[in-house]
Amino acid sequence: MSNWAIFFLLTTPAVYALDSVSLNVGTIAGTQWKLEGVNIVLTDLQQNPQKLTVTVAKLSLPKPFNDFNLVNIRCSSFTWQNKELLCEQGRAKVRSKHWQSPTTHFSFHVTEQRSSFKLTGLRLAGGTVAVDGEEQGEQWQLYIDAKAVDSELIQQLLPQEHFKLKAGKINIKLNASGSHALVHEFTLTAGLNGLTGQTKDGRFAAETLMLESTLDAKNYNGLWQWQSHIDVNGGALYVEPLYLESAGQHIILDAQGDWDASNNSVKINAAHYKHSNVGEINGNATVQYKDGAIIEKARLSLNSDNLQDVSAIYLKPFFEQTALQNVSLAGRLKADFYINDQSLTEVAASFDNLDVTDAAGRGEIQGGVGRFNWSVDEFFSQSSKFSWQQLKVGGVAAGPAELSFLSRADSIRLLEKAHLPLLGGAIAINHFSWQAKKQQAPEVSFEGNINNVSLEQLSRALNWTPLSGSISGHIPRVEYSNKTLSLGGELIITAFDGDIKVSNLASSGLFTDFIKFHSDIEINNLDLEQLTGRFKFGGITGKLSGYVQQLYMENWHPVSFFAWLGTPENDDSRHRISQKAVQNIANIGGGGAADLLSRSFLRFFETFGYDKLGMGCYLHDGVCQLMGVKATESGGYAIITGGGLPRIDVIGYNPRVDWDVLMERLKRITTTEEVIVK
């Protein structure tokens, strides 16, 4: 039956012979909505005006709002005339898959050209909701205003398996329009007040979060153009692995772009992220999301005058459980990053007042200034520069210096020779290169010089027994390839008025738990007075030469070698040795000099003359086979042969000593403050 046939029936004269008339209409449908179970009752027919009441079992809304329906609708103030239906004072309930409301105010207005409905005072999870809907031809518009909705209560209306809301209030405004089941345009505004909750997997969480957000979108033949604004102004937000706490500051994200659902792509034309007093990022990107999110192209610009907070908030979570977990930064930074097909392709960064600190004590940088340029392009030629006021590696500090280098693809190469002030002297870097290898350790090459580096400052920095003198020498080409470090030539170190030559140096497994080290060492004419002057071992004058051949170490512990240290031939320097040094040497070799000194008149002399001293060791299977300057008739070996007055000989009688026992003896005698002679 048509609407207008019903209208004709209700206006015929026969109707007025009755007190009331009721009519079950059944269904009234528009293009986007449908009224089901419509029943109209006209009462007080003898009165003027008569009273017209309508009841409706169900009102169905168009997609995408068809999950919500109005039921048990009753209009006590209802008119139907001049091709117009009007319900001014109605009551209804809202029903969805997860929720059914108490009765709320409802009204609707239907004409040939236009239909509308309105809900006010709808109670939802402790808050209120107002809904306005309108249809005209094939077009519709919907407005929803939800205020102070309790998140803990609304959780009961939502799926439980993904997230859990515990506290907070939510305000939402939605203004949407479209035709049929299509949404053409919408504006969504949301406000979170003290929201607390988290996802089931714990990867996303909020605590007393204060947030305002707006999303505007328009649909142009399947292409959505959108812009958004998010402002976090209170509480804390966790997005694995980042923990962002507002602490009175604003965290703002503005973005605008296009979304093409037909090819599963999002284009972010412009985005601006700002964390007050920390830093900001600008950029754009194109993202494909069909089989997981893939960044096709992106450009990001970072600007921060507070790298200390950037490091603590944004970098530290990613550094955890890595070699950088104790590293923090401070200073200023500007950087541009370019990404293509999920890969970083170019970086251009400049920094000022850069401080790098490692809480583990491995090193630090103070007062860093420079620019860093890198590109995946193998023909990239833009150089980089980096200078600092102080560079520290472990306990060793280098003074102000500057490096100029080229970084491209998988390589770094020093462009100019560098001069690093170090411990009263300097290190000159003549050549340095680093080349990454696929599925292999990188290749590193280095060559330089050491000039007058203070041994006293070096030993203090490394917490060694203080040494005197300085180190100078040439560092030939050092190369690291296939996980093996090798020395191309001889490393010559000038120290204690003599020199030390290191050759055949090679090491493998440097960055593993099993390091192997090979080398040969030659020692020529070291001044014993300088060498022993800072040790608690005891004083000796004269020269010392020797070698360590076929040295092999595992995890820096000697496994095998053949070594000799002693007085060189044709040494015409003055040979004197202190009583303390005599006894300590005797203790190393297991001789009886200690008894001799304590029981004879020799205990009254502070120093003795000697002709030669020397000791050798062949280490094999953890045992050191000892030898001296010559064999003795008694079956021992002479460690010191006397010369001049007073003179003393030190004889060793134990030719085989466990290596660990020998090291313990050396440790004990070099840490003993004094030797008491009775």
Side-chain angles (χ1 to χ4, degrees):
M1 179 182 292
S2 71
N3 299 344
W4 313 122
I6 298 170
F7 175 76
F8 175 77
L9 176 62
L10 293 175
T11 55
T12 57
V15 172
Y16 294 102
L18 304 173
D19 288 332
S20 65
V21 174
S22 65
L23 179 64
N24 186 2
V25 178
T27 300
I28 301 175
T31 56
Q32 304 293 319
W33 54 273
K34 181 168 64 173
L35 292 169
E36 301 177 58
V38 180
N39 188 59
I40 301 173
V41 178
L42 183 64
T43 59
D44 299 333
L45 297 181
Q46 306 303 320
Q47 306 283 331
N48 188 16
Q50 296 84 17
K51 186 176 181 181
L52 189 63
T53 303
V54 65
T55 59
V56 180
K58 181 180 179 181
L59 168 61
S60 301
L61 300 176
K63 292 181 179 180
F65 312 104
N66 55 327
D67 182 45
F68 292 89
N69 299 294
L70 272 69
V71 298
N72 300 333
I73 302 169
R74 179 180 177 84
C75 289
S76 58
S77 177
F78 176 76
T79 60
W80 189 348
Q81 58 186 358
N82 298 327
K83 301 182 180 181
E84 181 180 23
L85 284 79
L86 178 62
C87 171
E88 294 182 313
Q89 297 179 13
R91 304 285 289 175
K93 291 184 178 181
V94 176
R95 178 181 295 166
S96 74
K97 294 179 181 179
H98 306 284
W99 167 58
Q100 183 171 342
S101 76
T103 301
T104 185
H105 297 291
F106 172 73
S107 64
F108 68 84
H109 188 189
V110 178
T111 67
E112 280 189 315
Q113 302 298 323
R114 178 178 175 272
S115 302
S116 65
F117 71 92
K118 180 181 292 187
L119 287 169
T120 58
L122 175 62
R123 304 299 300 178
L124 173 64
T128 61
V129 180
V131 182
D132 281 339
E134 181 179 335
E135 174 199 32
Q136 188 167 357
E138 296 182 349
Q139 306 300 313
W140 57 263
Q141 186 167 350
L142 185 69
Y143 176 77
I144 300 175
D145 185 5
K147 297 179 179 178
V149 176
D150 188 282
S151 62
E152 187 174 10
L153 293 176
I154 204 172
Q155 172 73 61
Q156 303 171 14
L157 313 177
L158 301 174
Q160 306 286 314
E161 62 270 17
H162 298 302
F163 57 90
K164 179 68 174 178
L165 298 175
K166 298 179 180 179
K169 301 289 185 180
I170 303 174
N171 298 320
I172 295 176
K173 288 184 179 180
L174 173 66
N175 193 343
S177 61
S179 62
H180 297 288
L182 298 177
V183 180
H184 293 161
E185 181 178 352
F186 71 87
T187 298
L188 177 64
T189 301
L192 307 180
N193 187 355
L195 186 73
T196 297
Q198 68 177 43
T199 57
K200 186 177 180 180
D201 59 12
R203 299 178 65 182
F204 179 91
E207 183 177 0
T208 62
L209 183 66
M210 308 289 290
L211 181 147
E212 299 289 336
S213 68
T214 302
L215 175 62
D216 293 308
K218 294 181 179 180
N219 189 346
Y220 295 95
N221 298 320
L223 179 66
W224 283 93
Q225 294 184 347
W226 56 270
Q227 60 182 19
S228 64
H229 172 80
I230 299 174
D231 182 358
V232 178
N233 51 48
L237 183 66
Y238 177 75
V239 182
E240 189 181 45
L242 298 177
Y243 178 76
L244 305 176
E245 189 172 13
S246 177
Q249 301 177 348
H250 285 258
I251 301 174
I252 297 173
L253 173 61
D254 290 301
Q256 61 91 9
D258 303 325
W259 171 40
D260 189 348
S262 62
N263 64 8
N264 303 306
S265 70
V266 176
K267 185 176 182 181
I268 304 172
N269 296 322
H272 177 71
Y273 178 85
K274 183 176 181 180
H275 190 155
S276 299
N277 301 321
V278 177
E280 57 186 307
I281 298 176
N282 293 284
N284 54 62
T286 300
V287 180
Q288 283 282 346
Y289 61 88
K290 183 177 181 180
D291 298 315
I294 297 176
I295 301 176
E296 288 188 338
K297 182 181 294 186
R299 181 194 64 81
L300 300 174
S301 295
L302 168 64
N303 187 3
S304 174
D305 291 332
N306 185 0
L307 270 182
Q308 185 173 0
D309 282 353
V310 170
S311 174
I313 298 171
Y314 293 96
L315 298 182
K316 185 177 180 180
F318 294 97
F319 288 173
E320 291 296 329
Q321 307 303 317
T322 72
L324 300 175
Q325 67 177 355
N326 294 305
V327 174
S328 59
L329 309 176
R332 296 190 293 268
L333 172 68
K334 291 183 178 180
D336 293 320
F337 304 91
Y338 298 87
I339 298 172
N340 278 305
D341 295 328
Q342 292 283 91
S343 298
L344 185 65
T345 58
E346 190 172 340
V347 177
S350 60
F351 41 86
D352 189 20
N353 288 335
L354 177 67
D355 291 340
V356 182
T357 305
D358 180 14
R362 292 171 296 181
E364 65 179 47
I365 297 172
Q366 294 181 9
V369 178
R371 66 178 187 271
F372 174 73
N373 299 299
W374 173 86
S375 173
V376 72
D377 183 2
E378 294 184 357
F379 300 100
F380 183 71
S381 60
Q382 193 167 357
S383 65
S384 301
K385 282 188 180 294
F386 178 45
S387 63
W388 61 82
Q389 292 302 308
Q390 179 172 291
L391 170 68
K392 183 178 286 187
V393 179
V396 180
E402 180 178 86
L403 301 178
S404 177
F405 58 95
L406 179 64
S407 177
R408 63 186 180 193
D410 298 323
S411 67
I412 299 174
R413 177 169 57 87
L414 190 69
L415 295 177
E416 300 175 2
K417 293 182 179 180
H419 181 85
L420 279 65
L422 180 70
L423 304 177
I427 289 183
I429 304 176
N430 302 327
H431 165 81
F432 176 85
S433 65
W434 179 91
Q435 178 69 56
K437 295 291 184 180
K438 290 184 179 180
Q439 299 179 342
Q440 297 181 29
E443 292 184 355
V444 182
S445 179
F446 173 85
E447 186 263 325
N449 294 290
I450 301 175
N451 299 309
N452 295 316
V453 171
S454 169
L455 270 173
E456 183 177 358
Q457 295 183 44
L458 178 62
S459 57
R460 189 184 304 119
L462 298 178
N463 200 27
W464 293 349
T465 298
L467 302 173
S468 61
S470 62
I471 299 177
S472 296
H474 175 65
I475 305 174
R477 200 173 191 88
V478 179
E479 295 185 345
Y480 179 78
S481 180
N482 294 324
K483 299 182 180 180
T484 299
L485 180 73
S486 59
L487 183 69
E490 291 183 339
L491 171 61
I492 302 175
I493 301 173
T494 302
F496 306 114
D497 288 343
D499 62 72
I500 302 170
K501 297 179 181 179
V502 181
S503 60
N504 300 320
L505 185 150
S507 180
S508 60
L510 279 178
F511 305 104
T512 69
D513 294 331
F514 190 66
I515 302 171
K516 298 179 180 180
F517 180 88
H518 301 263
S519 182
D520 291 323
I521 302 172
E522 182 181 339
I523 300 167
N524 295 305
N525 293 309
L526 302 189
D527 187 291
L528 275 171
E529 186 173 13
Q530 293 185 38
L531 182 62
T532 61
R534 295 302 183 93
F535 286 97
K536 299 172 183 177
F537 183 83
I540 307 175
T541 65
K543 297 292 184 179
L544 181 72
S545 293
Y547 52 80
V548 181
Q549 295 178 351
Q550 300 177 21
L551 171 63
Y552 172 57
M553 305 174 73
E554 293 179 351
N555 284 341
W556 306 113
H557 295 290
V559 175
S560 64
F561 63 78
F562 180 61
W564 169 260
L565 292 174
T567 304
E569 296 294 333
N570 303 319
D571 176 23
D572 57 1
S573 62
R574 185 169 182 262
H575 291 180
R576 303 293 294 181
I577 183 169
S578 71
Q579 189 173 142
K580 180 179 180 180
V582 169
Q583 182 162 340
N584 284 329
I585 292 175
N587 287 335
I588 294 174
D595 290 338
L596 177 63
L597 286 171
S598 62
R599 296 176 182 176
S600 70
F601 73 97
L602 294 176
R603 68 181 182 275
F604 298 108
F605 294 94
E606 293 184 0
T607 64
F608 304 94
Y610 72 92
D611 180 35
K612 288 185 178 181
L613 60 79
M615 180 176 286
C617 169
Y618 171 60
L619 178 64
H620 181 70
D621 287 339
V623 175
C624 189
Q625 178 73 41
L626 296 176
M627 62 201 75
V629 293
K630 68 177 183 178
T632 65
E633 295 180 356
S634 60
Y637 52 93
I639 302 174
I640 300 175
T641 58
L645 293 174
R647 57 174 288 163
I648 189 171
D649 295 326
V650 176
I651 310 299
Y653 293 100
N654 188 357
R656 293 174 58 83
V657 180
D658 182 273
W659 175 255
D660 292 334
V661 172
L662 181 60
M663 290 299 98
E664 182 60 32
R665 288 180 185 175
L666 285 172
K667 180 180 178 181
R668 185 169 58 250
I669 64 178
T670 55
T671 55
T672 300
E673 288 295 335
E674 59 180 347
V675 175
I676 300 175
V677 179
K678 299 180 180 179

